[in-house]
Amino acid sequence: MPSKNIPQKVLIIRFSSLGDIVLTSIVVRTLKKQLNCEIHFLTKKGFKDIVASNPYIDKVWLFDQTLSDLLNELKAQRFDLIVDLQNNLRSRMIRLYLWQIPVTSYYKANFEKWLSVHFKINRLPKQHIALRYLNALKKYKVKDDGEGLDYFIPATDQVNLVELNINRPYIALVIGAAHFTKRIPVHKLQELISLIKGNYGILLIGGKAEFEIGKQLESDRVINLCGKYSINQSASLLEQSSMVIAPDTGMMHISAALKKPIRSIWGSTLPEFGFWPFYGTNHPDMNISFEVQGLTCRPCSRFGRSECPQGHFNCMEMQLITKVIKNL
């Protein structure tokens, strides 16, 4: 008989965003493998495909239906534990409705981030956010297994490079990001592409919003795939690359989950917020981060902004691209 102290049926809540959901994969795997519990995952409809292919998840719930219907269905599941990895007003509403179920959450370090953004005082936890997620399960003796993050690509989403006429090693260059101050400026992308040796092809990865920028960059060796593939298909392209160059985005975290070499370029946000590429202690750290040091205006936001509040965007404009492509 299982111990009464070990949850048998667990609901994990994480609505968004892409990178944050990928970062929860360490919790999903360790819960399943160490406690052998039934795992349900609640997220937004747009992220269904990211978690649906995870073999450690037994059922995916989507936050796109009438809230009352969803709450009633969740209540009927009789969960033993809620792991709230969103920890915001919306997730707390769900917890309140399911008040009889024990809840565990994680430390968001919002005050420390506020100090960093507004006063440039660094009191941020030294621990990666993925491990802070995992700390929510300390009570249940769930431990880090050193395997980092997971990302599972269904066979139907595997991209055939032969069909794309790609027959040489390539670098995946991620040009999209949710916020302007995380994006690499177009002229910096052009410089980066011009300096990468010709023995590499270059695949541009991004969403529909980046398609026109991609058109400005494409050439005989630069293929613009922005907006042409799903998240899982884009992950397949990352998996088959020789290296990924990316700003602070969900695709960067997917690349780390796939154990790819990464050169990450940081604008207004800091790796110290806990979101540097995370490989796990059983795998080599294959990320090199590039930041403009000494800027008194950085960080200007926890998540990124729609424009540079100072107007100069020095956190990206002063990036030395020659350093980014060194030894390529």
Side-chain angles (χ1 to χ4, degrees):
M1 292 289 290
S3 168
K4 290 183 179 180
N5 295 324
I6 298 178
Q8 299 302 300
K9 194 172 187 179
V10 177
L11 174 65
I12 298 174
I13 302 175
R14 183 74 216 195
F15 299 125
S16 62
S17 58
L18 172 59
D20 295 292
I21 293 172
V22 174
L23 292 170
T24 67
S25 62
I26 187 174
V27 174
V28 172
R29 180 186 67 250
T30 52
L31 257 179
K32 174 63 80 172
K33 297 186 83 170
Q34 295 177 29
L35 300 188
N36 193 31
C37 50
E38 182 179 330
I39 297 178
H40 294 225
F41 199 104
L42 173 60
T43 191
K44 289 182 179 178
K45 182 179 180 180
F47 299 110
K48 175 185 176 182
D49 290 345
I50 302 172
V51 293
S53 55
N54 189 325
Y56 302 122
I57 295 175
D58 297 285
K59 183 172 176 58
V60 176
W61 296 88
L62 302 178
F63 194 85
D64 70 332
Q65 61 190 99
T66 305
L67 182 58
S68 59
D69 291 343
L70 173 64
L71 291 174
N72 288 330
E73 290 181 35
L74 292 175
K75 190 172 185 178
Q77 293 295 317
R78 301 176 68 85
F79 294 109
D80 300 310
L81 177 67
I82 295 173
V83 182
D84 184 2
L85 300 181
Q86 188 70 47
N87 198 13
N88 65 4
L89 180 60
R90 188 173 291 173
S91 66
R92 288 176 201 139
M93 286 173 55
I94 293 171
R95 287 159 45 176
L96 181 62
Y97 187 82
L98 304 174
W99 63 272
Q100 293 176 310
I101 303 171
V103 175
T104 187
S105 190
Y106 76 106
Y107 183 59
K108 298 184 80 167
N110 283 342
F111 178 67
E112 289 86 346
K113 291 175 187 175
W114 182 82
L115 283 176
S116 182
V117 169
H118 295 284
F119 297 99
K120 313 309 178 212
I121 298 172
N122 188 350
R123 296 289 186 271
L124 294 161
K126 304 300 183 186
Q127 199 173 41
H128 195 279
I129 187 67
L131 296 178
R132 298 216 302 270
Y133 285 166
L134 198 59
N135 282 343
L137 298 169
K138 215 176 239 185
K139 174 183 176 181
Y140 302 97
K141 304 192 185 310
V142 175
K143 299 178 181 179
D144 178 22
D145 59 5
E147 291 301 320
L149 309 175
D150 290 324
Y151 196 92
F152 299 95
I153 306 168
T156 52
D157 287 326
Q158 295 286 350
V159 177
N160 188 334
L161 297 182
V162 174
E163 294 178 1
L164 287 175
N165 199 28
I166 298 172
N167 51 21
R168 61 174 167 171
Y170 67 86
I171 292 171
L173 176 56
V174 179
I175 67 173
H179 302 281
F180 170 81
T181 56
K182 288 185 176 184
R183 297 175 200 148
I184 306 168
V186 175
H187 68 95
K188 289 288 184 179
L189 291 169
Q190 290 171 331
E191 181 185 0
L192 194 154
I193 289 168
S194 70
L195 293 174
I196 293 175
K197 292 178 181 176
N199 52 314
Y200 283 109
I202 300 171
L203 266 57
L204 304 179
I205 308 294
K208 292 179 181 179
E210 286 73 48
F211 179 75
E212 292 302 322
I213 294 174
K215 284 186 70 173
Q216 298 177 48
L217 301 170
E218 62 187 357
S219 66
D220 289 344
R221 74 179 183 120
V222 180
I223 302 176
N224 177 23
L225 298 178
C226 295
K228 297 181 180 180
Y229 288 97
S230 68
I231 294 173
N232 279 340
Q233 290 169 324
S234 295
S236 174
L237 294 168
L238 296 175
E239 186 177 42
Q240 297 177 77
S241 70
S242 298
M243 175 180 291
V244 178
I245 300 176
D248 174 17
T249 66
M251 287 295 164
M252 179 191 74
H253 294 300
I254 290 175
S255 302
L258 296 170
K259 309 300 186 281
K260 303 303 297 184
I262 301 169
R263 299 198 176 184
S264 56
I265 301 177
W266 297 78
S268 64
T269 56
L270 298 178
E272 289 86 350
F273 284 172
F275 292 93
W276 63 87
F278 182 73
Y279 293 92
T281 54
N282 290 349
H283 302 275
D285 184 343
M286 294 186 286
N287 168 65
I288 305 174
S289 294
F290 296 91
E291 307 173 73
V292 179
Q293 301 291 343
L295 293 178
T296 57
C297 56
R298 180 173 179 265
C300 63
S301 165
R302 288 186 294 162
F303 308 111
R305 290 177 175 267
S306 59
E307 59 183 14
C308 171
Q310 301 296 320
H312 50 60
F313 201 21
N314 281 345
C315 57
M316 278 297 184
E317 293 292 347
M318 293 177 66
Q319 290 279 355
L320 296 177
I321 300 301
T322 50
K323 287 189 175 181
V324 177
I325 57 86
K326 189 177 180 180
N327 298 325
L328 277 182

